[in-house]
Amino acid sequence: ISRIKGSTDPVLIMGAGYDPVAEDSSPAGASTVGRGVYVINMRTGARLGFIATDYSVPADVSIVDSDGDGFVDRAYVVDVRAQLYRIDIEDALGVERPVAAWAITKLAALNDGTGGTDGTRKVFFAPDLVLTRNYGAILFGTGDREKPLTTTSNDRFFLVKDTRVAKGEPTSVTLITEAALTMIGSAGASADEQGCAYALATNGEKVINQPITFGGITYFSTNRPLPPGPGSCTRSQSRAYQLPLVCKVPTYRNLVGDGLPPSPVVGYVDVGGGRLVPFVIGGGGETNSSIEAERARIPIPAKRKRSFWFMENRDR
């Protein structure tokens, strides 16, 4: 729920839903449901507009107030087939536009092109956003959560850089594909101008919850099926990942128990005396639990230290 210029009422910006056709490898033309983003007046329920995408959008939409004026001016959305879009609500001068005039720009197409024309990668969760002075980092993972027992996969966790930090849609865009991204952990890998990708195991490992970045670490979880044990049902193994910004090799913990872990939660807790302690739930923890709370491991020191020196000049 957001506030935008030109509307006194709050609005809801949401994905249009999931198309059952996405369960198979039908071509894009067969998908007709949920292909876009709805904008709805939250007070009256009126539909203010619809912004079309190529495929259905079961994920939430990530919104941005880039200048802190209290009004959302930009949004990012990923459709179910791993295509990333930027939606510009205001123009380059910060002037409001009717929803019908909102500009949508496709930034990346990151499916694998196998298993039919649509590819095998799917996205069910909104991207996380980290804004810097020079670019916006958009982070999201792929994984067919609707088929948790699939034992073969080709999924990724992506970081895509949007170098247009100002308001208003980009004037020109070169569509980013996986070939243009650096693979994290490969020899000589470094974060280039377009971003990076981390390859998950091909034995069915898939991202199955919402990523979130806190203190320079992006948290997300994966799940993969395991062969059933003697006299037991099919089991699964979940992992809680911690990916350092930007494009560093992640670490992970194997979580205890089966099932799909909930999305990680971060924040601060007041422990008294106005002292705020950062925490994360679902980051793995010391007991490898998907619901354990722990102190966030923030590599940036919270307390600043004074550094000073003086120079002595002498006439000789």
Side-chain angles (χ1 to χ4, degrees):
I1 300 176
S2 313
R3 289 198 173 274
I4 59 174
K5 289 182 180 179
S7 175
T8 57
D9 294 336
V11 300
L12 177 65
I13 305 173
M14 58 174 283
Y18 187 55
D19 190 343
V21 170
E23 285 299 295
D24 56 35
S25 58
S26 300
S31 178
T32 59
V33 177
R35 295 172 62 177
V37 172
Y38 282 114
V39 183
I40 300 169
N41 185 305
M42 286 299 294
R43 193 176 305 278
T44 67
R47 190 178 105 171
L48 303 178
F50 181 80
I51 301 105
T53 57
D54 291 342
Y55 299 95
S56 61
V57 182
D60 290 335
V61 179
S62 299
I63 58 176
V64 179
D65 175 8
S66 64
D67 56 2
D69 65 354
F71 297 102
V72 170
D73 50 67
R74 187 160 76 242
Y76 293 93
V77 63
V78 184
D79 67 28
V80 74
R81 296 298 184 180
Q83 296 192 122
L84 171 65
Y85 306 83
R86 167 178 169 146
I87 300 174
D88 283 278
I89 298 170
E90 301 175 11
D91 66 15
L93 299 177
V95 178
E96 69 269 18
R97 298 187 278 199
V99 177
W102 289 7
I104 182 168
T105 306
K106 188 193 299 185
L107 300 179
L110 297 170
N111 223 311
D112 56 4
T114 62
T117 57
D118 293 343
T120 64
R121 296 174 186 159
K122 295 182 183 178
V123 178
F124 289 91
F125 296 93
D128 188 36
L129 307 176
V130 178
L131 302 182
T132 75
R133 184 187 311 172
N134 299 318
Y135 61 84
I138 305 112
L139 302 107
F140 62 96
T142 71
D144 193 350
R145 184 187 168 104
E146 299 301 294
K147 293 185 175 65
L149 302 183
T150 300
T151 56
T152 58
S153 58
N154 185 28
D155 285 306
R156 302 283 188 268
F157 191 85
F158 292 107
L159 185 154
V160 176
K161 292 183 178 181
D162 180 7
T163 56
R164 168 72 178 180
V165 296
K167 293 185 179 183
E169 59 272 21
T171 55
S172 63
V173 172
T174 299
L175 193 66
I176 297 173
T177 63
E178 185 179 343
L181 301 178
T182 298
M183 293 303 298
I184 297 176
S186 60
S190 62
D192 61 18
E193 293 185 357
Q194 294 182 299
C196 55
Y198 179 73
L200 302 179
T202 58
N203 57 4
E205 186 181 17
K206 56 190 76 70
V207 176
I208 43 78
N209 61 18
Q210 174 83 37
I212 190 167
T213 304
F214 190 52
I217 303 292
T218 302
Y219 299 91
F220 64 93
S221 300
T222 66
N223 183 270
R224 65 182 178 91
L226 297 175
S232 66
C233 299
T234 300
R235 302 168 298 140
S236 66
Q237 175 68 69
S238 294
R239 286 177 172 176
Y241 278 86
Q242 305 90 37
L243 174 70
L245 291 173
V246 174
C247 296
K248 306 295 184 181
V249 177
T251 59
Y252 66 82
R253 288 179 179 269
N254 288 327
L255 299 178
V256 175
D258 292 351
L260 306 182
S263 297
V265 177
V266 300
Y268 291 90
V269 60
D270 190 340
V271 297
R275 183 183 172 209
L276 299 178
V277 175
F279 72 88
V280 56
I281 301 174
E286 296 299 325
T287 62
N288 299 336
S289 168
S290 64
I291 57 174
E292 177 186 0
E294 61 176 321
R295 184 167 183 152
R297 300 179 291 274
I298 298 179
I300 304 171
K303 185 177 293 186
R304 296 180 180 179
K305 296 181 180 180
R306 178 178 296 179
S307 296
F308 60 92
W309 65 91
F310 68 93
M311 296 178 62
E312 182 178 353
N313 295 320
R314 294 181 178 181
D315 294 331
R316 296 188 179 182

